[in-house]
Amino acid sequence: MADRRETSRTAGRRAGLDKRPADVAAMFDGVAERYDVTNTVLSAGLDASWRRATREALGARPGQTVLDVAAGTAVSTVELASGGVRAIACDFSQGMLRAGAARPVPKVAGDAMALPLADESVDGVVISFGLRNVADPDAALREFRRVTRPGGTLVVCEFSSPTWAPFRTVYIEYLMRALPRIARAVSSNPDAYVYLAESIRAWPDQPALAGRLQDAGWADVAWHNLTGGIVALHRARRV
Ligand SMILES: C[S@@+](CC[C@H](N)C(=O)[O-])C[C@H]1O[C@@H](n2cnc3c(N)ncnc32)[C@H](O)[C@@H]1O
């Protein structure tokens, strides 16, 4: 993971790359109102297919309980809840949870690094576009293991590194130049999308993140790329 420190903030409207929890929560409170629509615009509609692939990678069965950490407006949780799976949304941004209040899934306020759940109480944990925003991702990965029963599954859906170098160059241009401009037209907190671009660039690539999962005690770690590696799904098993 890049070790760059970014501390500039605009009165809590965006977090720095040190990802202080209060700043991150305040930043998401600020984007909550238009979060879903902004996502769909910035991803050119690909977000729905990424969420579907996340549910398929998890492979939860009817009657199983899964925890969607950093669930935001619960748009990711609703996808997981299809087919009789009990999916619970957990997030520390009250604004994001409120913006998703109409979504028919159970919701709980909580921090990824100290989940309000008992040991070995869920069959699976998913975190979509959330781990990159957590102040201590390694502590969160250990916490996900604590709440997952033996044999259970973790899926991390996160922005990653396109594998074909020319595509990676074009993508980074999009991230650093076009994306913040588009966000200015669509989002209720455009500064947050400058943070988005910077945090994606500073995030570990696929093999490095796999190593972090292993170090946190997860077994059978594997990943596959979506959209050329713009997004990667890491999957692991609790032993
Ligand atoms: C980009 S949103 C992702 C929301 C949703 N999972 C999705 O796929 O659209 C990131 C979410 O992570 C949450 N988050 C960041 N750090 C967190 C933490 N330590 N504990 C709980 N939620 C956290 C933010 O509040 C925000 O709602």
Side-chain angles (χ1 to χ4, degrees), residues 50 52 69 99 104 106-107 129 136 143 148 151-152 160 165 180 188 190 192 203 239:
W50 295 337
R52 210 162 38 244
V69 183
K107 300 176 190 74
F129 308 109
D136 185 345
E143 182 67 351
T148 305
S160 198
S188 48
W203 187 241
V239 285

Side-chain angles (χ1 to χ4, degrees), residues 34-74:
R34 293 181 60 80
Y35 173 81
D36 293 343
V37 67
T38 307
N39 257 358
T40 301
V41 170
L42 291 178
S43 72
L46 289 167
D47 53 336
S49 66
W50 295 337
R51 295 187 197 294
R52 210 162 38 244
T54 301
R55 173 175 53 74
E56 288 166 3
L58 181 68
R61 293 188 299 278
Q64 289 192 320
T65 299
V66 302
L67 182 68
D68 186 20
V69 183
T73 61

Side-chain angles (χ1 to χ4, degrees), residues 4-233:
R4 202 163 124 234
R5 292 282 173 211
E6 163 63 56
T7 52
S8 70
R9 293 184 185 86
T10 313
R13 287 173 58 85
R14 59 155 293 185
L17 290 188
D18 51 0
K19 300 171 190 176
R20 294 201 322 209
D23 294 341
V24 172
M27 179 180 72
F28 280 101
D29 286 347
V31 298
E33 195 189 321
R34 293 181 60 80
Y35 173 81
D36 293 343
V37 67
T38 307
N39 257 358
T40 301
V41 170
L42 291 178
S43 72
L46 289 167
D47 53 336
S49 66
W50 295 337
R51 295 187 197 294
R52 210 162 38 244
T54 301
R55 173 175 53 74
E56 288 166 3
L58 181 68
R61 293 188 299 278
Q64 289 192 320
T65 299
V66 302
L67 182 68
D68 186 20
V69 183
T73 61
V75 61
S76 48
T77 323
V78 166
E79 175 69 37
L80 299 174
S82 57
V85 172
R86 180 166 184 264
I88 304 165
C90 175
D91 202 284
F92 71 3
S93 159
Q94 298 286 347
M96 290 289 272
L97 288 174
R98 250 196 319 274
R103 295 210 161 96
V105 287
K107 300 176 190 74
V108 58
D111 190 322
M113 296 177 287
L115 292 169
L117 267 80
D119 293 358
E120 303 183 4
S121 56
V122 297
D123 298 293
V125 170
V126 170
I127 182 162
S128 300
F129 308 109
L131 191 60
R132 177 178 33 83
N133 301 302
V134 173
D136 185 345
D138 302 304
L141 290 169
R142 290 191 295 273
E143 182 67 351
F144 302 163
R145 187 173 176 278
R146 179 186 70 75
V147 302
T148 305
R149 66 160 176 81
T153 305
L154 168 69
V155 176
V156 178
C157 170
E158 191 49 87
F159 290 112
S160 198
S161 190
T163 47
W164 189 48
F167 180 49
R168 190 164 57 240
T169 305
V170 172
Y171 172 64
I172 300 238
E173 274 293 299
Y174 167 74
L175 271 185
M176 303 310 286
R177 293 182 194 278
L179 183 143
R181 258 187 249 140
I182 299 169
R184 239 170 269 138
V186 188
S187 172
S188 48
N189 182 4
D191 288 347
Y193 290 84
V194 176
Y195 161 86
L196 170 69
E198 291 176 353
S199 66
I200 292 172
R201 283 196 74 181
W203 187 241
D205 65 8
Q206 292 87 330
L209 182 59
R212 305 270 288 260
L213 266 71
Q214 261 152 10
D215 290 348
W218 289 93
D220 300 341
V221 179
W223 75 85
H224 75 265
N225 293 318
L226 304 175
T227 320
I230 286 180
V231 169
L233 290 181

